[in-house]
Amino acid sequence: MNRVLSGVLGLVLALVVLAAGGLNLVLGISHLHKLHTGQYAETQATITRIETVEVADSEATGGTRTEYEITVEYTLDGKKVVTQLGEIPKDFYEGMELTVLYNVDKPTDVTLPGTTGSYIMIGMGAVAVLLGVVMILRRLRGR
């Protein structure tokens, strides 16, 4: 019974690793695709607010993790656009001007230029997918 439970849990873990890797691959490729299809245009924006938010997280020490809500503002066709930037504020500060890419079809969808993060996600995703496949094959072979 214990061996069967161990085998099932190992298979479940392998499937979770495979799914997480696949998700990272899809998100990384999607971000690269967005940046290279002309769907995004570059503009200058200003950070108007950085708010720290504590979010419940059962896996974090103390049961919470810190997230940041970064509000940016820019002008497009004479209209002010205010939106959230989904990034981690390494050296960001209120009043900072930075280059952002906005979705020409949905101007509140913004991201920072650069592809390094996308390539990191793709690499991590590929490793996780490979690891998940190896784990599944080992479970199916009875090792």
Side-chain angles (χ1 to χ4, degrees):
M1 177 71 176
N2 195 15
R3 185 177 166 110
V4 171
L5 182 60
S6 174
V8 170
L9 290 177
L11 187 58
V12 169
L13 177 62
L15 290 171
V16 168
V17 169
L18 183 65
L23 180 63
N24 266 334
L25 272 173
V26 168
L27 291 175
I29 291 169
S30 172
H31 190 257
L32 277 179
H33 179 72
K34 285 180 186 179
L35 296 179
H36 295 292
T37 58
Q39 183 179 352
Y40 281 72
E42 188 174 283
T43 191
Q44 288 299 115
T46 303
I47 296 175
T48 57
R49 189 178 78 199
I50 299 176
E51 187 174 338
T52 305
V53 180
E54 295 297 321
V55 179
D57 185 351
S58 60
E59 295 179 15
T61 305
T64 62
R65 64 176 159 40
T66 303
E67 289 188 358
Y68 301 92
E69 291 181 0
I70 304 168
T71 303
V72 296
E73 179 180 300
Y74 64 94
T75 304
L76 181 63
D77 297 329
K79 295 181 183 177
K80 184 182 354 176
V81 178
V82 178
T83 188
Q84 299 290 314
L85 180 64
E87 305 292 334
I88 298 173
K90 295 179 186 176
D91 297 323
F92 293 172
Y93 55 89
E94 290 181 15
M96 179 180 180
E97 291 193 17
L98 64 155
T99 301
V100 298
L101 299 173
Y102 68 91
N103 185 327
V104 294
D105 296 324
K106 185 181 175 190
T108 56
D109 177 14
V110 296
T111 188
L112 293 177
T115 56
T116 304
S118 298
Y119 288 121
I120 290 171
M121 286 183 71
I122 291 168
M124 288 175 30
V127 168
V129 166
L130 183 62
L131 180 62
V133 168
V134 168
M135 291 170 69
I136 289 171
L137 290 176
R138 289 188 66 166
R139 291 290 170 199
L140 293 177
R141 292 170 88 191
R143 288 183 171 184

